[in-house]
Coordinates of all heavy atoms in Angstrom, one line a residue:
N139 N 17.7 5.3 23.7 CA 19.0 5.9 23.9 C 19.9 5.6 22.7 O 19.4 5.1 21.6 CB 19.7 5.4 25.2 CG 19.7 3.9 25.3 OD1 19.8 3.2 24.2 ND2 19.6 3.4 26.5
G140 N 21.2 5.9 22.8 CA 22.1 5.7 21.6 C 22.1 4.3 21.1 O 22.0 4.0 19.9
Y141 N 22.2 3.3 22.1 CA 22.2 1.9 21.7 C 20.9 1.5 21.1 O 20.9 0.7 20.1 CB 22.5 1.1 23.0 CG 22.7 -0.4 22.6 CD1 23.7 -0.9 21.9 CD2 21.7 -1.3 23.0 CE1 23.8 -2.2 21.5 CE2 21.8 -2.7 22.7 CZ 22.9 -3.1 22.0 OH 22.9 -4.4 21.7
G142 N 19.8 2.0 21.7 CA 18.5 1.7 21.1 C 18.3 2.2 19.7 O 17.8 1.5 18.8
W143 N 18.8 3.4 19.4 CA 18.8 3.9 18.0 C 19.6 3.1 17.1 O 19.3 2.9 15.9 CB 19.2 5.4 18.0 CG 18.4 6.2 18.9 CD1 17.2 6.0 19.5 CD2 18.8 7.5 19.5 NE1 16.7 7.0 20.3 CE2 17.7 7.9 20.3 CE3 19.9 8.3 19.3 CZ2 17.8 9.1 21.0 CZ3 19.9 9.5 20.0 CH2 18.9 9.9 20.9
F144 N 20.8 2.7 17.6 CA 21.7 1.8 16.8 C 21.0 0.5 16.4 O 21.0 0.0 15.3 CB 23.0 1.5 17.5 CG 23.8 0.5 16.9 CD1 24.5 0.7 15.7 CD2 23.9 -0.8 17.5 CE1 25.3 -0.3 15.1 CE2 24.7 -1.8 16.9 CZ 25.4 -1.5 15.7
A145 N 20.3 -0.1 17.5 CA 19.5 -1.3 17.2 C 18.4 -1.1 16.2 O 18.2 -2.0 15.4 CB 19.0 -1.8 18.6
F146 N 17.8 0.0 16.3 CA 16.7 0.3 15.3 C 17.2 0.4 13.9 O 16.7 -0.2 13.0 CB 16.0 1.7 15.7 CG 15.0 2.1 14.7 CD1 13.7 1.6 14.7 CD2 15.3 3.1 13.7 CE1 12.8 2.0 13.8 CE2 14.4 3.5 12.8 CZ 13.1 3.0 12.8
G147 N 18.4 1.1 13.7 CA 19.0 1.2 12.4 C 19.4 -0.2 11.8 O 19.2 -0.5 10.7
L148 N 20.0 -1.0 12.7 CA 20.5 -2.3 12.3 C 19.3 -3.2 12.0 O 19.3 -4.0 11.0 CB 21.3 -2.9 13.4 CG 22.2 -4.1 13.0 CD1 23.2 -3.6 12.0 CD2 22.9 -4.6 14.3
C149 N 18.2 -3.0 12.8 CA 17.0 -3.8 12.6 C 16.3 -3.5 11.2 O 15.8 -4.3 10.6 CB 16.0 -3.6 13.7 SG 14.5 -4.7 13.6
L150 N 16.4 -2.2 10.9 CA 15.8 -1.7 9.6 C 16.4 -2.5 8.4 O 15.7 -3.0 7.5 CB 15.9 -0.2 9.4 CG 15.4 0.4 8.1 CD1 13.9 0.1 8.0 CD2 15.7 1.8 8.0
I151 N 17.7 -2.6 8.5 CA 18.4 -3.3 7.4 C 18.1 -4.8 7.5 O 17.7 -5.5 6.4 CB 19.9 -3.1 7.5 CG1 20.3 -1.7 7.4 CG2 20.7 -4.0 6.5 CD1 21.7 -1.3 7.7
A152 N 18.1 -5.4 8.7 CA 17.9 -6.8 8.8 C 16.5 -7.2 8.4 O 16.3 -8.2 7.8 CB 18.2 -7.2 10.3
V153 N 15.5 -6.4 8.8 CA 14.1 -6.8 8.6 C 13.8 -6.6 7.1 O 12.9 -7.4 6.5 CB 13.1 -6.0 9.5 CG1 12.9 -4.6 9.0 CG2 11.8 -6.7 9.5
M154 N 14.4 -5.7 6.4 CA 14.2 -5.5 5.0 C 14.8 -6.7 4.2 O 14.2 -7.2 3.3 CB 14.8 -4.2 4.5 CG 14.0 -3.0 4.9 SD 14.7 -1.4 4.4 CE 14.2 -1.4 2.6
V155 N 16.0 -7.2 4.7 CA 16.5 -8.4 4.1 C 15.7 -9.6 4.4 O 15.4 -10.4 3.5 CB 18.0 -8.6 4.6 CG1 18.5 -9.9 4.2 CG2 18.9 -7.5 4.2
F156 N 15.2 -9.7 5.6 CA 14.3 -10.8 6.0 C 13.0 -10.8 5.1 O 12.7 -11.9 4.6 CB 13.9 -10.6 7.5 CG 12.8 -11.5 8.0 CD1 13.1 -12.8 8.3 CD2 11.5 -11.1 8.1 CE1 12.1 -13.7 8.8 CE2 10.5 -11.9 8.5 CZ 10.8 -13.2 8.8
G157 N 12.4 -9.7 5.0 CA 11.2 -9.6 4.1 C 11.5 -10.0 2.7 O 10.7 -10.7 2.0
A158 N 12.6 -9.5 2.2 CA 13.0 -9.8 0.8 C 13.2 -11.2 0.6 O 12.7 -11.8 -0.4 CB 14.2 -8.9 0.4
V159 N 14.0 -11.9 1.5 CA 14.3 -13.3 1.3 C 13.1 -14.2 1.4 O 12.9 -15.1 0.6 CB 15.3 -13.7 2.4 CG1 15.5 -15.2 2.4 CG2 16.7 -13.0 2.2
I160 N 12.2 -13.9 2.4 CA 11.0 -14.7 2.5 C 10.1 -14.5 1.3 O 9.6 -15.5 0.7 CB 10.2 -14.2 3.8 CG1 11.0 -14.5 5.0 CG2 8.8 -14.9 3.8 CD1 11.2 -16.0 5.3
N161 N 10.0 -13.3 0.8 CA 9.1 -13.1 -0.4 C 9.7 -13.8 -1.7 O 8.9 -14.3 -2.5 CB 9.0 -11.6 -0.7 CG 7.5 -11.2 -1.0 OD1 6.6 -12.0 -0.7 ND2 7.4 -10.1 -1.7
V162 N 11.0 -13.7 -1.8 CA 11.6 -14.4 -3.0 C 11.5 -15.9 -2.9 O 11.2 -16.6 -3.9 CB 13.1 -14.0 -3.1 CG1 13.9 -14.9 -4.1 CG2 13.3 -12.6 -3.4
L163 N 11.6 -16.4 -1.7 CA 11.4 -17.9 -1.5 C 9.9 -18.3 -1.8 O 9.7 -19.3 -2.4 CB 11.7 -18.3 0.0 CG 13.2 -18.4 0.3 CD1 13.4 -18.6 1.8 CD2 13.9 -19.4 -0.5
I164 N 9.0 -17.5 -1.4 CA 7.6 -17.7 -1.7 C 7.4 -17.8 -3.3 O 6.7 -18.6 -3.8 CB 6.7 -16.7 -1.1 CG1 6.6 -16.8 0.4 CG2 5.2 -16.8 -1.6 CD1 5.9 -15.7 1.2
E165 N 8.0 -16.8 -3.9 CA 7.8 -16.7 -5.4 C 8.5 -17.9 -6.0 O 7.9 -18.5 -7.0 CB 8.5 -15.4 -5.9 CG 8.3 -15.1 -7.4 CD 9.2 -15.8 -8.3 OE1 10.4 -16.1 -7.9 OE2 8.9 -16.1 -9.5

Side-chain angles (χ1 to χ4, degrees):
N139 51 29
Y141 183 69
W143 305 339
F144 170 73
F146 175 82
L148 201 60
C149 184
L150 178 61
I151 298 170
V153 76
M154 289 180 74
V155 173
F156 170 80
V159 170
I160 296 293
N161 222 22
V162 169
L163 285 176
I164 290 173
E165 188 275 332

